[in-house]
Amino acid sequence: MKQSKDKEITINDAIIELKQLDDPVFGSLSYKKPANKNTTITVKADSRIIKTPLKQIELAVFKLDAKTYGFIFKSLFRYDNDCKYWDNELKRLASHDLKPNF
């Protein structure tokens, strides 16, 4: 996750499940801080760019650093330090190790 001067957050290499899509997508998401459930999120996945409110994200999973996974769930940011579990589970789903964002 990187933060620029205009307070835009970009999360690379994420698994994102949106309410309007049937299947999760793999890509990046970005938004401006501070965020609330109506903040517009830009999702870049494959050759698509999807702009949607934060409340449309059912779940986003990404690797914050070498030891921590981050989640966006119910419009809130959460994290978990059980990196070994998430590395194993998400490697099966994504077919690669998620890259850290810090």
Side-chain angles (χ1 to χ4, degrees):
M1 180 172 12
K2 64 181 177 180
Q3 195 170 358
S4 65
K5 292 177 187 173
D6 59 353
K7 296 185 181 183
E8 182 167 295
I9 302 293
T10 300
I11 298 169
N12 297 302
D13 203 16
I15 301 169
I16 307 145
E17 187 171 350
L18 298 169
K19 290 181 181 177
Q20 63 265 46
L21 299 177
D22 292 331
D23 294 319
V25 294
F26 300 93
S28 67
L29 56 94
S30 58
Y31 60 93
K32 290 190 179 189
K33 281 180 69 174
N36 62 49
K37 64 182 179 179
N38 295 313
T39 298
T40 299
I41 303 294
T42 302
V43 176
K44 293 180 183 176
D46 304 319
S47 59
R48 315 184 255 190
I49 295 176
I50 303 165
K51 292 187 181 258
T52 188
L54 178 61
K55 63 185 175 189
Q56 291 296 104
I57 294 178
E58 290 188 341
L59 177 66
V61 180
F62 46 91
K63 199 168 189 177
L64 286 173
D65 58 32
K67 298 179 182 178
T68 311
Y69 272 88
F71 307 90
I72 296 174
F73 180 66
K74 294 187 178 183
S75 301
L76 296 173
F77 173 79
R78 305 172 194 283
Y79 66 93
D80 188 1
N81 292 330
D82 191 355
C83 196
K84 184 176 179 181
Y85 170 78
W86 290 106
D87 277 341
N88 292 335
E89 293 301 310
L90 294 173
K91 188 173 184 177
R92 288 187 300 141
L93 178 63
S95 300
H96 72 279
D97 291 324
L98 293 184
K99 305 291 184 252
N101 280 280
F102 283 121

